[in-house]
DNA sequence: CAGTATCCCGTGTGATACTG
DNA sequence: CAGTATCACACGGGATACTG
């Protein structure tokens, strides 16, 4: 059956093939989720928090290359979407801890899955990339 | 086993907790994969191809909002990484078909998972967002 | 039909400096 | 320690026009 898309799983079917109504909406929603989570740091933060709560500086230490600004922004976005909780301890010096919510943990599972996929298939991708490049760099 | 970072899964552990060596490299790799796949359209294209091969115009029809330019670029990138194959049929008018490779199918599974997550948790996210906004929009 | 080629703009990101 | 504030810039991505 090399023809296509007849099973109508209610996910990324874009108008036409099946009921043909909600498709576009779901596509937009998926893009929204990817915008939230598909940025440069979100999944990394979520994955880093999989072991439990961490404070700001610990997160920064565990994610090499992230700037203070981007860590702050990423954490705020994830908090806004209910993916992690932010706890400020009334101390001096201040201590702030971040922890995944239940919702965040479900996403974390997926991000771990993506990460494992990346680890497992890095070589295949690099090989394919090299093959493609050499095939297309014809003089 | 939702305790802390002691299991040392070889994924997003960034130097320190475990062996403490390869962490940064893997973090970079995950970011690379996310850059490849976490852009605005890649996962959507991959998910759209889950039912079998489709031609250029069919893809464009199934993914509302994507421009010709972005579809082309996305397809080229995915092809370069060995996630899909491109077949040009020597006909007039030209017909070009795209199909997931085995590697692409493994990623497709994950993207479907992300999509389902998005569908299932849209409301929770919107609720959390509204709550956060009202709590932070101090009068 | 299936692309390329340009132009252009928004915004995501980094660097740096400052604060409660 | 855990942030804000500001500037500056690259780049992703949309619109449009053209082509084999």
């Amino acid at each position: 059956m090399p023809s296509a898309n007849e099973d109508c799983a209610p996910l990324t079917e874009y108008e036409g093939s099946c009921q043909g109504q909600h498709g576009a909406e779901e596509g937009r929603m998926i893009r929204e989720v990817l915008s939230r989570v598909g940025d440069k740091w979100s999944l990394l933060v979520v994955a880093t928090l999989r072991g439990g709560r961490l404070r700001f500086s610990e997160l920064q230490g565990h994610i090499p290359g992230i700037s203070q600004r981007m860590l702050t922004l990423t954490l705020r976005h994830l908090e806004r979407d209910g993916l992690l909780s932010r706890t400020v301890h009334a101390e001096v010096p201040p201590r702030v801890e971040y922890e995944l919510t239940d919702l965040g943990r479900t996403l974390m599972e997926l991000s771990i899955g993506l990460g494992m996929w990346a680890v497992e298939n890095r070589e295949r991708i690099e090989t394919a990339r090299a093959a493609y490049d050499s095939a297309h760099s014809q003089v």
Side-chain angles (χ1 to χ4, degrees), chain A residues 28-119:
Chain A
R28 184 165 51 251
M29 184 177 46
I30 293 176
R31 275 199 301 282
E32 277 183 32
V33 170
L34 287 180
S35 315
R36 168 85 312 114
V37 134
D39 61 42
K40 199 171 179 182
W41 303 108
S42 288
L43 283 187
L44 230 36
V45 168
V46 168
T48 303
L49 279 171
R50 79 183 183 288
R53 69 177 58 139
L54 290 175
R55 44 197 304 190
F56 189 89
S57 52
E58 289 171 331
L59 279 168
Q60 199 169 18
H62 281 27
I63 307 177
I66 195 171
S67 65
Q68 212 170 27
R69 169 189 148 88
M70 287 319 296
L71 181 54
T72 300
L73 285 177
T74 303
L75 289 170
R76 290 292 178 282
H77 287 151
L78 294 173
E79 185 197 359
R80 182 166 107 103
D81 288 355
L83 298 172
L84 55 79
S85 64
R86 178 175 181 267
T87 310
V88 182
H89 299 266
E91 304 175 359
V92 167
R95 187 170 100 246
V96 181
E97 290 185 321
Y98 296 90
E99 187 175 19
L100 292 178
T101 60
D102 289 343
L103 181 57
R105 267 185 282 275
T106 65
L107 178 62
M108 182 265 291
E109 306 286 345
L110 292 172
S111 81
I112 296 291
L114 251 184
M116 284 178 46
W117 185 90
V119 171

Side-chain angles (χ1 to χ4, degrees), chain A residues 115-134:
Chain A
M116 284 178 46
W117 185 90
V119 171
E120 288 166 6
N121 296 290
R122 178 190 47 170
E123 283 192 41
R124 294 178 67 181
I125 290 182
E126 284 173 1
T127 302
R129 224 177 262 193
Y132 182 97
D133 289 346
S134 75

